[in-house]
Structure formats: C-alpha cells, structure tokens
Amino acid sequence: MLHGFGTTGDMWGHLASALIEDHMVVAPDLRGLGLSSKPDGGYDKKNQAADVWGLLDALGVRTIELVTHDIGIMVGFAVAATHPARVSRWVAIDAPLPGIGPWCIVIPPATTPPVALAALQARVLAQTGEPHNKIKTTCYLTSARQGDLSRSSW
C-alpha cells in the first residue's frame, strides 16, 4: 500500500487492520517521508519503485496486490511497469496518472471510437515500453469527486 503526498504509510492503518487477517500488509513510508531515509536525491518514480521492490524482495514477497493513493499512484505505476508479472492487481485511488489523462481517457466509455482507443494504447506503449495487452495488471481507477468506480484491464 503506497500513501499519498504529505502522508505516510500510517494512513493505511484502519484499512490494514481490516486486511491483516487474510493478507500480508506492507505500507512503507515513501522515500523522504515519515520514517524513511531522506537522501539528497533519488526522488524520481523509478528509484522509488526500486525502493519498493527492494523492500518486498527483502521480505520475500514475490507477487503483490498493489493499492495506491494520490502521489503513490505515480510510484505504483513505476512499480507495475518495472515488474508487471509481479503485480496481480492494482488499485489507484484519487488521482489520474500524469501524461495519461483524465478518467474519461484512461477508462474510455464503450462508445469510444477505435481511433481513440488506439491512441490510448500507443500512450501506454510509449510510457511503459510494453504493449497494453502485455501488461497483465488490472487497474481499478476511482475518482472520489465523481464517486465512481471503473475497471480496466491493460
């Protein structure tokens, strides 16, 4: 579980306590926040994803179900993009991915023309280096303002 801007892994405490019976819950403080180290650099999302995988590797965790909030979504995207086979599901809460666009583009309505879908697929390829159908992560994208829950499998 990756927290948002200005918070720490502690933000997940209530949800983690509900999940702990059936799941291993890992909710680290992202680099520079909370109890994590505060190095001078390495705050790009690729390095932060490496931090997450380093922690999970140290814990012996092979595959994950990833839950992310706010700025944690950007780190979560890098986590999923760098090791897609290790992420079985991904929940992204309260923020779109930079460069991907608003929810209506990320999760297009069923009436979206094929040309628009092809543009979305090209964007995924450009940002991840993987065709959209090779990234096996299921993304649950939510918008708290709209109160909706949409699902897309990339």
Side-chain angles (χ1 to χ4, degrees):
M1 303 178 98
L2 302 179
H3 62 83
F5 179 75
T7 62
T8 68
D10 290 346
M11 73 164 276
W12 299 109
H14 187 71
L15 183 56
S17 65
L19 294 172
I20 198 69
E21 290 293 323
D22 299 326
H23 299 81
M24 176 182 191
V25 177
V26 179
D29 291 343
L30 293 174
R31 181 183 290 231
L33 296 169
L35 298 176
S36 71
S37 64
K38 294 160 183 62
D40 290 335
Y43 291 93
D44 60 277
K45 303 313 170 227
K46 188 174 181 179
N47 275 325
Q48 289 181 309
D51 291 344
V52 172
W53 285 120
L55 171 62
L56 295 171
D57 289 343
L59 294 172
V61 176
R62 192 71 201 118
T63 60
I64 62 171
E65 294 173 303
L66 183 60
V67 179
T68 59
H69 175 256
D70 189 58
I71 202 87
I73 292 172
M74 291 181 245
V75 178
F77 184 80
V79 166
T82 56
H83 297 287
R86 293 181 66 183
V87 181
S88 63
R89 287 190 277 185
W90 175 26
V91 178
I93 304 168
D94 286 342
L97 288 167
I100 297 289
W103 295 132
C104 62
I105 294 172
V106 176
I107 309 293
T111 58
T112 301
V115 172
L117 290 176
L120 171 62
Q121 293 166 355
R123 245 189 258 176
V124 170
L125 176 61
Q127 291 196 0
T128 66
E130 293 285 342
H132 76 285
N133 61 347
K134 295 294 183 194
I135 298 176
K136 302 296 185 196
T137 303
T138 299
C139 302
Y140 292 89
L141 305 173
T142 67
S143 170
R145 289 185 199 103
Q146 296 172 4
D148 66 349
L149 176 65
S150 303
R151 180 174 182 234
S152 174
S153 184
W154 292 11

